[in-house]
Amino acid sequence: MSATQQDVRFVQGNEACVRGALYAGLRFFAGYPITPSTEIAEHLAENLPKVGGTFVQMEDEIASMCAVCGASLAGSKSMTATSGPGFSLKQEAIGYAAMAEIPCVVVDVQRAGPSTGLATKVAQADVNQARWGTHGEHSIVTLTASTVQDMFAVTVEAFNIAEAYRTPVILLFDEVMGHMRERLVIPPAGELPVTERLRTAVKPGVNYHPYLPREDGRLPMSDYGDIHRYHVTGLYHDIWGFPTEQPEQVNKLVHHLVDKIEGRVHELARWKEFYLEDAENVLISYGSAARSARHLVETRRQKGHRVGLLELQTIWPFPKDLVREKTANAKNVFVVEMNMGQVMAQVKQAVDNPDHVYLVNRVDGTLVTPTDIGNVMRVIEGKGV
Amino acid sequence: MAFRDLIRERFFPHIWCPGCGHGTVLNSLLHVVDKMGLDPTSMCMVSGIGCSARISGYVNFHTMHTMHGRALPCATGIKLAKPQLNMIVPMGDGDAMAIGGNHFIHACRRNIDMTAIVLNNRIYGMTGGQYSPLSGRGVLATTAPYRSIDDDFDAVALAQGAGATFVARTTAFHVKELSKILTKAIQHKGFSVVEVMVQCPTYFGRKNKMGGAVQLLEYYRDNTAPLGSKKLEENQNLIPRGIFVERERPEYCEEYQNVIALAEGKE
Amino acid sequence: MERYRFLLSGSGGQGVITMAILLAETAALEENLTAVQSQSYGPEARGGATRSDVIISDSEIFFPKVLQPNILVALTEEASSKYLPLIRPGGLCLYDCDLVKPNPRVDAEQIGIPMYKNVLAKLGKAVAFNICVLGALTTLTGIVKLSSLEKVVERRFAKAHFASNQEALRLGEELAQPYMAQV
């Protein structure tokens, strides 16, 4: 720590995520070693027991995600972290958490795939997997960040959303963000809001219905081990948590699972914007790719070009209205990402003129560069490369 | 304690077929919990998927009906977060030994304090009678119409080899023995495995022309013998029953308390 | 200030990455500058050429990788032949003249200092080699103060190693002094 009173550190993005999780009250982590997310497990193995929390290295990614579900039901704020193939393995229990409405945070430090792909190289190709990786109809929240400081902040936010809406939240980072070091200022406790779990006020001896929403739609929880004993299942269930195949109840639950998130798009949208007011060319990006986009925007603005950046920190639920509004006056929209256009497809659906949406990508395991972006823009502007 | 407080009457009747052995295990378990005077709010049952997994719906404990094969890692998360809970983890043979096989051996190795009950009916019942890793060579099943060529696991030997500190086997016929063993398993500090051979008249019995529930129970009576018995000594083909392993080894949650103490001392 | 783009390279075990972290941390936490450090991971990070990038600036840094360094440190011949061609025209290359041969065809100020030999002779062991290189690099570039670097070194390592690390830093400074006119 530096001489000042502030807690200032020079750390990797992965450690910033750990610090954010601890700030938010993480008390249980289960994981399995996998590059490029392993540092998260290593830092938590050291730091969780210091606050009386539990770190466990499970036998595989499946078990890690299951243990997270269990620990969360027992009352602990819980998280796991993974990359690439591990994210695929976790999908089964992510679906369970979505169905049983278990608050938890899943970090995916993206690397190039499919399969083992490039274990140590960057990609952003898990965007759609974050949304649709597990089977069946559901919705999910996915956040991302482009600085070490923001990784801290969105991690805190991820726990807040998970606890408030009883949902798994995916933190979709990438290799570049996970491994790069930058200055991190950890705010004093209380400066950033931390949402605590809503627990039931139902008294002993009175029936507690774990899946009966309150007026405001929220479901108060009861920790395993407390007075209320109830059932949790991955099957469609009634207000008691007991399996049901009643079409009416099944239908109601599907809508509840989707609406509780899709109905809060505006509330959940986090973004940053730079020079959008008069921008003719709007870049849309996220994660490490947004750093390259910002670099280009700053350099071009110095030359008087009317170019701006919309950096998305919430990817799911996709903030359609926001994208539409922010690009309303743009001649061209360039989506900068390291995949074959996963966010671009969403942007095309959001805007009035999808023909003016272009993809600037890189899928070779290296960070997309400002030059890559500039080249595509020149071509579209009719200036050649 | 009101015995009725241990079950969720509103969820009965149960889904099991007439003659199924799972009810016998449920009955025995409830009597054991009652007799031991365990506070139901201290009880947590975690199950996977399959016929056996439905037990968790009927007991009035903290219950989690999870995914196929995943009961043990889910239970591990609960236990580590709330070590004071008494964990009971019923699993089917496919649940525990096939899709959950890796979780099973690692739970044994960790020696985390919980009681795993393997309800071994040698068949996948919920999906309609496919062979399992405990069916054994020569068994008929919907996925083994020409008889199974797969050798089976010995669940007891597997648990023993993987490091479980309490390992026992009994059957749905031997109900008194079952209760005695379950009592000891729950009392045991560490990872306990109890294999209970249960009858599935609907699929296993019918497919293999072994008769209904009564005939299958008679089969367990006639083809098993207690460990150390003369009967077993005289006939090596009988399946041994009883407690195979009962030993002490550091328990995982207690060990983690030591990690916390070390970590807290460090800063 | 101009933007400093460092590419630090050598072989696994020489402490190249530690060197990069110390340099960047000093800039970010002690000198109120902006710094970003990154490194290549994976099989190539074990043995072979190790590389770590550091960018230091007084304004925000966006693109975090170094494509063309203006300051290169090369501690093996392999690293030098791989990365010297990337250097910006007129950039600075610091190398160990007992481990690396200069390449006069490349347009860069190439400064070869016998750091490894001196560390062995004066400190009796090679462990503090990277700290000595950092001392020389800091002296030549002036990007951070040696005293600030010393603070970070003190904080990062066990107390027992501080004296020898301090000595290594001073040794690097001393060895670099004669070349100050060249940079």
Side-chain angles (χ1 to χ4, degrees), chain C residues 63-78:
Chain C
F63 187 67
K65 302 280 182 184
V66 173
L67 301 177
Q68 287 182 298
N70 48 14
I71 299 163
L72 171 72
V73 173
L75 299 180
T76 62
E77 191 60 46
E78 191 190 344

Side-chain angles (χ1 to χ4, degrees), chain B residues 52-74:
Chain B
S52 63
R54 293 305 184 98
I55 289 187
S56 64
Y58 306 125
V59 296
N60 195 14
F61 304 161
H62 304 287
T63 56
M64 186 178 182
H65 176 220
T66 71
M67 296 144 279
H68 196 25
R70 315 297 178 220
L72 286 169
C74 290

Side-chain angles (χ1 to χ4, degrees), chain B residues 3-9 12 26 30 58-60:
Chain B
F3 187 81
R4 290 209 154 166
D5 190 38
L6 297 179
I7 55 167
R8 292 170 174 145
E9 281 185 86
F12 283 83
L26 170 61
L30 291 171
Y58 306 125
V59 296
N60 195 14

